[in-house]
Amino acid sequence: MALIHGVLISFKKDTTPKEQEDIFGLYQKLDQECGGVDAGIFYWRVAKNLDLRKGVHLFELAVFRDNEA
């Protein structure tokens, strides 16, 4: 059974725009760094949140093969 996983990511107030971009870049390839499909990561997407009213900056959505993946 696949596991769908969503995460809301907020930056601390003192995080600079450059640090935010660097972190966003790291998240873009985190699935591959962790083994990708061979490790059971079927889908991985991290996007910038366009509505910052609640302080959420990024949204991660992933589909894993199972809980162990």
Side-chain angles (χ1 to χ4, degrees):
M1 173 193 297
L3 174 70
I4 299 170
H5 187 258
V7 177
L8 302 175
I9 301 163
S10 299
F11 296 116
K12 292 184 178 183
K13 291 179 182 176
D14 60 344
T15 306
T16 67
K18 167 130 180 34
E19 290 171 325
Q20 290 182 19
E21 284 300 317
D22 291 346
I23 291 166
F24 179 65
L26 291 172
Y27 269 105
Q28 293 303 300
K29 55 189 174 190
L30 186 59
D31 61 325
Q32 294 305 310
E33 296 286 330
C34 293
V37 174
D38 291 338
I41 305 169
F42 295 150
Y43 179 83
W44 180 266
R45 170 90 170 152
V46 177
K48 293 180 181 179
N49 183 11
L50 301 177
D51 182 357
L52 299 176
R53 290 179 292 174
K54 293 188 178 182
V56 174
H57 298 93
L58 303 175
F59 175 74
E60 173 246 305
L61 179 64
V63 178
F64 297 96
R65 176 185 57 236
D66 53 25
N67 195 44
E68 285 74 39

